[in-house]
Each structure stands twice: as structure tokens, then as C-alpha cells.
Amino acid sequence: MIPIYLFYAVLLTSSGVPVAIAASQRSIFLLAGQSNMSGRGGVVNGTWDNYIPPESSPNLAILRLSADLNWQLATEPLHRDIDTTKACGIGPGMVFASSLLRKDSSIGVVGLVPCAVGGTNISEWAPGGELYKGLIRRAEAALEGGGKIRGLLWYQGESDTVSREDAESYKNRVQNFFLRVRADLLLPVLPIIQVALASGEGEYVEMVREAQLGMDLVNLRTVDAKGLSLESDGLHLTTPSQVSLGRMLADTFLQGQPSSITSNASRTHPRSVTNLLDSFLRCVKKPLEPFFDDQPSSPPHVLKNRD
Ligand SMILES: *[C@@H]1O[C@H](CO)[C@@H](O)[C@H](O)[C@H]1NC(C)=O
Ligand SMILES: *[C@@H]1O[C@H](CO)[C@@H](O)[C@H](O)[C@H]1NC(C)=O
Ligand SMILES: *[C@@H]1O[C@H](CO)[C@@H](O)[C@H](O)[C@H]1NC(C)=O
Ligand SMILES: *[C@@H]1O[C@H](CO)[C@@H](O)[C@H](O)[C@H]1NC(C)=O
């Protein structure tokens, strides 16, 4: 349909499965935060039940960047070689990717970059620290084979609900983290979707939650975990909750994308691009999928938190 579909390459994954990849069109997503992003769905008493919901099953169009920086067919648990000190289970990443593929045929191959580590507080993610450097290193490695970083999914905060000082500083620390990630990746308006905590162990959950819901950064959206059920440990989202969360993250991401050419594209894109599209439209009968954001000349999409 569009020329970038022509640049196909065949990659042999480490699991030996040949995967056809439109490398230049790969949509890369960074996954970071603590255990609920890493995934503990189906983990009871430190053991994963091995149940993979249909929404999280492998798909040739979903890859993951392994700990040793190779793209491979993505399978659960996504964070198994990243968050290595605890048993990993189902998280939101696979469902997020399969929902995107189902709802947006222009998304191409989805490349997931797992970076979350259980039990980590925001201070440990501060720029310059090991987690931060690991995130940037993995993001840069992900880009080497082509593609574009389309978003950061962030689910963290539980570990900052225990002390008042941490809870009070949470908003500034997270904002600083988001801004530095964007600056270091040279993606000043990188879409970020964060998850607001529904509850937590610490005394200051409400304070962290308010900080999350009240954050006002361009292209930052917040998904609320309220109403999602927890494992018997009272700490982690269950597998069905992770499935719901993955869908919510995908829907929220897609809401921030231009939905079609009939939207306000002509107002937000330079005339030359519009003219090009007009001529293109005259040649095709089928409705087009959105692809504006692959045009280098298009301006950033502006999402506002809580809009
Ligand atoms: C988990 O451990 C608790 C306490 O040791 C026990 O009562 C429970 O049956 C265990 N659950 C499973 C699924 O093994
Ligand atoms: C964050 O976690 C680290 C490592 O567990 C700990 O040393 C530190 O006290 C925690 N809190 C802050 C505010 O750094
Ligand atoms: C996981 O998410 C749930 C729902 O937001 C929250 O109540 C819980 O505190 C989180 N647990 C951890 C360890 O982050
Ligand atoms: C397009 O812009 C107009 C005027 O700002 C607005 O009323 C309308 O809702 C927009 N339509 C879409 C699809 O965004």
C-alpha cells in the first residue's frame, strides 16, 4: 500500500522461527517501571502457573528485545531475563501489542523492549542510575535494526508510597525522568502512557496517585488501574487484570494517533504533504490507514493528560 511495506527482511530469531519484518516500519515500545509492568499475573507463592491467555499468545508480528539485545519472537513472560530476581508471569505488554495489531493495521511489526524491574522506586530510575542507563541503552539498541520508538509504557510508584518524603517528591521525580528520557532519545514529544496506582502497601498511595493524575505534560496520558483485581498476595494484578490493562493501554495509545485522513489532517500538516495526499487519494479507492506519523515533515501530535 505504501512504499515502506516493500522493505521486508527475513530475520532468524534465536528460537529458530523465521519472522518477516518490515524493519523500517517496526513500531518500538519501551516497557518500564516495577513489578506490575514486568508482570506477576498468575504468580502465586513465587511460582508462575504457566497459563497464557489467548490475548497474550505469540504472534509473528510481535518481537521482544532480549536481555542480550537480540530481537526474538515475543513470548510470556516478557521480562523473564530482565527482572530476574523474582518469578515473572503475565504483564500488559503482549496484550498491548496484539490489541494494537488488531486495531491499527498500519502499526507494522511491534517491537517490545522490556525494562521493568520489580520493587524499584523512582529514585532508582533517576537519570544517571543503572536502571536509567539500561533503559536508554536498550532503547538505542532497539533502534539499530530500524524502526521508530513510538511510546513508553510506565507503571511504577508503589515503592514510593511508603515514606511521605518520597510521595511528596514523586511528581517532580517522575516528570524529571520522563523529560530526560525524551531528551536523551532525542524524541521531545515521545508519547508516554503511565498507569495510576489503584491502591498500595504504603500509607501515601493517595499522594502518589494524585501526583500521577495531576501530571500535565504534552503527550502524556494516564490509564487508571482502579477496579482491576489483585492476586491473593494483594500486591499484583491478576492475569485477567493484565489483559484488561493491556487493552486499555492500546486504546489510550491509539486515541492519541490521528485516526484518519478525514480528521483534521489538513490543519495539522504542511500544505505540500496535504497536496501529496490529495493526489494519492485520487489513485486509491480503499480507505487509507493512518500513516501521518511516519511522514518526517509532520508535526508532533499533542496529547494532553486527562483530556
Ligand atoms: C501458597 O502458600 C500459602 C501459605 O503457605 C498456602 O496456604 C497456599 O495454599 C499456597 N497456594 C498455592 C496455590 O500453592
Ligand atoms: C529507593 O530504593 C533504594 C534501593 O532499594 C533505597 O536505598 C532508597 O532508600 C529508596 N528510596 C529513596 C528515596 O532513594
Ligand atoms: C500493582 O498495581 C496495583 C493496582 O494499581 C496496586 O494496587 C499495587 O500496589 C501494585 N503493586 C506493586 C508492587 O506495584
Ligand atoms: C477538527 O477541528 C474542528 C475545529 O477546531 C473541531 O471542531 C473538530 O472537532 C475537529 N475534528 C476532529 C475529527 O478532530
Side-chain angles (χ1 to χ4, degrees):
M1 184 169 76
I2 36 177
I4 40 184
Y5 279 108
L6 299 175
F7 301 125
Y8 275 78
V10 170
L11 176 123
L12 203 64
T13 68
S14 58
S15 51
V17 183
V19 185
I21 297 171
S24 64
Q25 209 208 351
R26 193 180 294 147
S27 291
I28 297 167
F29 292 90
L30 311 175
L31 277 49
Q34 45 184 122
S35 50
N36 283 314
M37 177 57 76
S38 166
R40 298 288 188 269
V43 175
V44 177
N45 289 352
T47 309
W48 180 43
D49 63 9
N50 279 298
Y51 172 68
I52 297 174
E55 296 86 346
S56 304
S57 49
N59 178 324
L60 289 182
I62 308 175
L63 304 180
R64 79 186 266 283
L65 192 75
S66 65
D68 56 4
L69 307 179
N70 289 308
W71 286 116
Q72 55 182 218
L73 185 71
T75 54
E76 294 283 14
L78 266 188
H79 279 76
R80 60 186 177 273
D81 55 353
I82 299 291
D83 187 13
T84 51
T85 60
K86 294 267 171 66
C88 293
I90 301 297
M94 287 295 288
V95 183
F96 169 77
S98 57
S99 303
L100 283 191
L101 286 167
R102 210 172 47 248
K103 293 179 177 175
D104 181 357
S105 57
S106 74
I107 205 82
V109 168
V110 177
L112 299 174
V113 183
C115 300
V117 178
T120 49
N121 60 35
I122 190 64
S123 304
E124 294 176 89
W125 284 93
E130 284 313 308
L131 289 169
Y132 184 86
K133 285 193 282 191
L135 172 69
I136 300 297
R137 194 184 320 120
R138 288 176 60 68
E140 285 169 350
L143 284 171
E144 273 168 24
K148 183 175 166 188
I149 299 178
R150 303 283 301 269
L152 164 68
L153 309 184
W154 176 253
Y155 193 173
Q156 195 276 332
E158 162 83 11
S159 293
D160 296 85
T161 64
V162 181
S163 95
R164 172 179 273 276
E165 194 272 328
D166 283 355
E168 280 174 350
S169 309
Y170 191 72
K171 192 170 176 178
N172 278 338
R173 287 175 177 162
V174 175
Q175 283 188 356
N176 182 43
F177 168 77
F178 289 158
L179 295 174
R180 280 293 298 273
V181 169
R182 286 174 169 176
D184 286 342
L185 295 178
L186 307 176
L187 296 168
V189 289
L190 174 71
I192 298 172
I193 305 176
Q194 64 170 351
V195 185
L197 291 178
S199 55
E201 266 187 308
E203 209 179 317
Y204 302 102
V205 181
E206 254 339 286
M207 214 180 261
V208 169
R209 192 177 147 76
E210 273 168 29
Q212 293 172 319
L213 293 172
M215 233 172 270
D216 192 16
L217 283 187
V218 160
N219 270 12
L220 169 71
R221 288 198 164 205
T222 307
V223 162
D224 196 345
K226 210 157 217 170
L228 298 178
S229 56
L230 301 182
E231 293 285 2
S232 53
D233 63 6
L235 262 183
H236 298 120
L237 295 187
T238 59
T239 292
S241 292
Q242 289 286 16
V243 170
S244 306
L245 179 65
R247 289 202 189 112
M248 282 156 62
L249 289 166
D251 289 345
T252 302
F253 175 77
L254 292 173
Q255 277 162 25
Q257 300 295 102
S259 54
S260 77
I261 285 171
T262 55
S263 70
N264 286 326
S266 56
R267 291 193 309 123
T268 56
H269 292 273
R271 189 106 304 261
S272 57
V273 175
T274 312
N275 290 344
L276 204 80
L277 283 166
D278 286 345
S279 4
F280 186 39
L281 276 170
R282 274 183 239 115
C283 313
V284 287
K285 296 187 182 74
K286 236 162 61 108
L288 283 171
E289 303 300 333
F291 60 90
F292 273 128
D293 53 330
D294 289 325
Q295 304 290 329
S297 53
S298 58
H301 319 301
V302 178
L303 309 181
K304 294 285 277 180
N305 198 19
R306 293 197 300 163
D307 60 5

